[in-house]
Amino acid sequence: MVKKVLPLLVIAFLLIPLYGAADADPRVDLVYQSQIEPGKQIIIEVKLKNTTSEMLWDLAGVIESNNIPPEIRDYIKIVDGEEKFVEDNDHSINVQDEASIKLSIEVDKNAEAGTYTIPLKIKGEIGNCRQGCKPYLLMKDITFKVIKEYPSL
């Protein structure tokens, strides 16, 4: 009896780490300058890896001006605020596939020094078949410091 149960236990212990290994959301890394001077542009690279157990469809990264906090809205100009992750025929990102996009904003030359946070939406659909997809939305923050150099007296 022990000889029959032992191999099953070994197999079970090997498979347990794989159970539930998929994440609820894809892994998203944002790469950009964390400090900037007024009048300069920030390029935000959005790197995505589909770590979910389902396919992602029509996924895009979006910075919307109406989502920028009102106290900093006048200091931020959206240069390239929307980009699709995949432009091929079926617009899908398979499980474990990677994709990246670049977005850009410009900080006004009259911007006040301080820490700025701008929301980034990653939106599209999720599901293993095109007809059974559900809407998908993931929010990330783009946080950077505006540094002003004041003339010495």
Side-chain angles (χ1 to χ4, degrees), residues 72-102:
I72 64 170
R73 191 174 295 150
D74 292 340
Y75 300 128
I76 303 296
K77 176 185 173 199
I78 299 171
V79 177
D80 187 10
E82 183 167 356
E83 192 76 34
K84 290 185 178 182
F85 280 93
V86 179
E87 292 287 342
D88 66 6
N89 290 338
D90 71 355
H91 304 271
S92 68
I93 302 173
N94 291 319
V95 175
Q96 295 302 315
D97 280 358
E98 297 179 13
S100 65
I101 58 171
K102 289 186 180 177

Side-chain angles (χ1 to χ4, degrees), residues 6-54:
L6 189 60
L8 292 174
L9 284 173
V10 170
I11 291 171
F13 280 116
L14 291 174
L15 294 178
I16 284 175
L18 298 176
Y19 179 75
D23 296 330
D25 290 315
R27 189 181 79 222
V28 176
D29 296 316
L30 303 178
V31 180
Y32 59 92
Q33 284 180 267
S34 61
Q35 295 184 354
I36 192 164
E37 295 176 5
K40 303 284 183 180
Q41 193 175 70
I42 299 176
I43 303 206
I44 303 113
E45 184 176 9
V46 184
K47 297 179 179 183
L48 178 134
K49 181 172 183 178
N50 185 0
T51 54
T52 71
S53 60
E54 300 181 276

Side-chain angles (χ1 to χ4, degrees), residues 56-68:
L56 300 168
W57 302 85
D58 297 319
L59 213 59
V62 182
I63 301 171
E64 296 174 334
S65 60
N66 59 341
N67 287 340
I68 296 174

